[in-house]
Amino acid sequence: MTKPADATTGAGRRIEKGVSSEAHSMTELLEIQQAAFLRDGIPDANTRIDRITRLGSLLLDNSDEICAALTADFGTRPAELSVTADVAGCLIDITHQRRGVKEWMKETPSARVQGLIGFKQRVRHDPLGVVGIMGPWNFPLQLTFVPAASAFAAGNRVLMRPSSITARTTELIARLATDYFSIEELAVITPTHGSGSDFAKLTVDHMFFTGSPEVGSSVAQEAAKNLVPVTLELGGKNPAVVDVSADIGKAAKMLADARMANGGQVCLCPDYVFVPEAKLGEFTDTVIAHWTENFPTIYDNPDYTSTINQKNYDRIVGLIDDAVELGAQKRQVIPGGEQLPSAERRKIPPTLLTGVKAGMKIAEDEVFGPVLSVYPYRDLTEAITHIASNPHPLTMYWCGDDNDNFKRLADNTRSGSINGNDFALHMFGAELPFGGVGRSGMGAYHGKTGFETFSHARAVAFSTMPVTVAEMISPPFTARDKRMAKGQLKMWSALTKRAQKKARKR
């Protein structure tokens, strides 16, 4: 098994752990990892498991320091949230990768019947080489370490660039990583190396990005110049639909809680909700009452996550003000004696909007803050039409039974995932893929899907047949070749006619 202290560069010099990534440029780090990958070859299962385990140990051994750095970056962020999302939350998939890798990396045999006549086929699952991972600021560890575990499981080396917005957390991870990894295995890129756009220009073997659609588009364009494949995990305005079968109180409380996760700064938060018209008042009153109970204080409340920076604070407040100026109705939970929103603390009170219409900025833009828009509907078609006519979201929420209405919604809309009666439930399914569709992303990861994303399915075919394909397609073409060509047309024609006949019967 390759250990950090054992791991040479092209000329034979090995780089041990303890060497900082900041001792090299981004290009040099890429070259170091490429050389190490070629030198060591495809890692065995034990090596991969060891790397995945060390990744988890980095988080667990330093959880207190990590939580403190996250709180400092946000201004206010509860340690419990940081543990749940950015430390322990990573271990769900990290553990699954460690347990599954030995089986997933095995060659997969196929077409056993053809093998009996001498046409043997199988699929290898080979690593790509070096994977570049660009993470966002809202969950700077969850959204870098989880894909890194998948990349390690697939046998790759990793260049990781956490967000420069969460600068303290990024600096900490860069420092800690050298205690667990050689830069030949994992190198953490910091702002001293250059910008995110510089990182996107690297000729890695796969680029993984989590962030906004706008920046994701730029990353994809830069990667395309080098023919680097990309996985994009983006955002979008996630809709929720409350069915007539739903318990309105339970649905309102769940969606109220979901909207406030991490101060609303989660790509999976619900942005807007469709509620049966007759239940609109009950729903909105319950949301406000639930928020009021949960947040008796906000200004000095350490459990109330601050908006990450002034730019985003101003953007969210601007979306609310624009909607109200154009006719939307606003209800906010502001504890007595507190002046909110507060630019000083970057805290925006939980805000519920009704009467949102086309032309308002909040109807188009992903909020990424503590604001929930609510729409009434008389017929489910109204909700379906609205969702289907807008860019595909990362996820969609359904409150109600798993019934015909749910099937109708699922069949007539598109989204990266669907969650019923709870927030981000698909994140906890070990074998469920995580990814968007359309504007909310391309590609997926988590579980075996993550392993496959960072692997190359390499076809292997062997022949011991008496006739070669090369002979069949090369001149001279004999009478036998002509008979075989006609025979192929006859066979495929018969199969096609049979399929057409079955289709007509159906």
Side-chain angles (χ1 to χ4, degrees):
M1 173 167 57
T2 304
K3 297 189 181 296
D6 297 333
T8 66
T9 55
R13 180 177 61 85
R14 292 182 178 270
I15 297 180
E16 300 180 355
K17 69 175 181 177
V19 176
S20 171
S21 62
E22 294 187 345
H24 301 274
S25 69
M26 280 193 289
T27 302
E28 289 172 341
L29 290 169
L30 174 59
E31 291 172 349
I32 287 168
Q33 291 199 352
Q34 288 171 331
F37 180 78
L38 291 174
R39 179 198 68 224
D40 294 341
I42 295 176
D44 61 18
N46 287 338
T47 300
R48 302 183 195 203
I49 291 169
D50 176 53
R51 289 172 180 168
I52 297 168
T53 300
R54 280 185 270 137
L55 197 66
S57 296
L58 190 161
L59 293 171
L60 291 172
D61 295 348
N62 304 282
S63 60
D64 289 344
E65 200 171 354
I66 288 170
C67 290
L70 286 165
T71 298
D73 279 326
F74 275 84
T76 300
R77 196 197 204 214
E80 294 81 0
L81 172 64
S82 294
V83 168
T84 299
D86 275 308
V87 180
C90 296
L91 272 298
I92 297 172
D93 200 65
I94 286 176
T95 301
H96 190 58
Q97 295 292 334
R98 186 172 62 236
R99 290 175 177 173
V101 61
K102 190 172 290 188
E103 186 64 29
W104 300 337
M105 64 187 289
K106 291 179 180 177
E107 290 188 355
T108 307
S110 63
R112 296 180 187 275
V113 174
Q114 288 95 320
L116 297 175
I117 62 171
F119 182 18
K120 299 179 180 179
Q121 304 164 52
R122 64 182 186 269
V123 178
R124 293 170 55 98
H125 306 284
D126 287 355
L128 299 172
V130 178
V131 171
I133 297 174
M134 302 178 69
W137 54 261
N138 59 329
F139 293 106
L141 301 180
Q142 167 77 230
L143 301 175
T144 51
F145 275 59
V146 171
S150 294
F152 280 150
N156 301 286
R157 314 288 173 127
V158 174
L159 292 177
M160 178 190 293
R161 188 186 190 280
S163 173
S164 56
I165 293 176
T166 46
R168 297 173 182 85
T169 305
T170 295
E171 187 278 329
L172 174 64
I173 295 305
R175 176 166 54 80
L176 294 174
T178 61
D179 293 334
Y180 295 81
F181 293 94
S182 160
I183 57 173
E184 294 185 346
E185 301 170 297
L186 171 69
V188 179
I189 306 300
T190 69
T192 61
H193 289 103
S195 66
S197 60
D198 294 328
F199 188 82
K201 294 180 175 69
L202 292 176
T203 53
V204 294
D205 298 290
H206 193 104
M207 185 68 73
F208 183 98
F209 170 83
T210 302
S212 71
E214 292 74 22
V215 179
S217 174
S218 176
V219 170
Q221 291 177 59
E222 291 294 346
K225 294 175 184 177
N226 295 314
L227 296 180
V228 172
V230 297
T231 297
L232 301 178
E233 298 299 337
L234 311 177
K237 291 186 72 64
N238 301 315
V241 178
V242 179
D243 187 36
V244 293
S245 69
D247 180 319
I248 290 294
K250 288 178 64 175
K253 290 177 181 178
M254 187 279 286
L255 292 170
D257 287 337
R259 176 69 270 187
M260 296 306 298
N262 200 36
Q265 300 166 111
V266 186
C267 58
L268 294 171
C269 279
D271 249 45
Y272 63 95
V273 188
F274 275 95
V275 180
E277 187 176 56
K279 300 293 183 70
L280 179 64
E282 181 183 354
F283 180 88
T284 56
D285 287 347
T286 303
V287 169
I288 293 297
H290 192 60
W291 281 342
T292 301
E293 179 183 3
N294 285 353
F295 305 113
T297 63
I298 291 176
Y299 188 85
D300 287 324
N301 187 347
D303 287 344
Y304 197 97
T305 304
S306 300
T307 303
I308 185 64
N309 56 22
Q310 192 65 38
K311 178 182 177 182
N312 279 282
Y313 171 88
D314 292 340
R315 179 185 60 80
I316 297 165
V317 170
L319 290 175
I320 297 170
D321 291 345
D322 173 77
V324 172
E325 288 173 8
L326 294 176
Q329 293 77 53
K330 173 181 72 175
R331 296 176 70 180
Q332 291 184 313
V333 174
I334 301 179
E338 297 191 8
Q339 296 295 317
L340 296 171
S342 168
E344 177 190 9
R345 298 296 176 91
R346 300 195 308 277
K347 288 188 175 181
I348 301 168
T351 302
L352 189 147
L353 296 175
T354 54
V356 174
K357 295 180 175 60
M360 299 177 181
K361 293 178 182 177
I362 203 163
E364 305 291 335
D365 297 346
E366 182 181 6
V367 179
F368 230 65
V371 186
L372 186 65
S373 300
V374 184
Y375 299 86
Y377 75 89
R378 294 183 180 180
D379 187 275
L380 187 60
T381 302
E382 299 169 48
I384 291 173
T385 300
H386 182 95
I387 295 168
S389 62
N390 282 283
H392 306 323
L394 184 59
T395 195
M396 180 165 56
Y397 292 95
W398 172 258
C399 296
D401 299 333
D402 189 354
N403 55 21
D404 288 342
N405 281 345
F406 170 74
K407 186 176 187 305
R408 185 177 161 207
L409 176 71
D411 287 348
N412 291 280
T413 59
R414 298 292 177 268
S415 63
S417 59
I418 307 175
N419 286 284
N421 300 317
D422 205 350
F423 173 65
L425 201 60
H426 70 300
M427 292 278 288
F428 303 95
E431 288 299 338
L432 292 178
F434 181 91
V437 60
R439 188 171 172 79
S440 61
M442 63 176 74
Y445 68 121
H446 285 197
K448 189 177 181 181
T449 302
F451 172 88
E452 292 170 343
T453 290
F454 298 117
S455 299
H456 170 55
R458 192 176 183 186
V460 179
F462 270 88
S463 175
T464 57
M465 296 185 292
V467 179
T468 67
V469 173
E471 179 186 357
M472 291 168 59
I473 65 170
S474 300
F477 294 104
T478 64
R480 182 199 65 179
D481 296 326
K482 293 178 182 179
R483 288 195 301 272
M484 290 182 66
K486 289 181 179 179
Q488 291 178 61
L489 291 176
K490 187 176 180 180
M491 177 188 69
W492 292 118
S493 178
L495 290 172
T496 301
K497 287 177 180 178
R498 184 186 301 174
Q500 292 170 341
K501 186 176 179 180
K502 288 182 177 180
R504 284 194 295 269
K505 286 183 178 179
R506 287 194 293 268

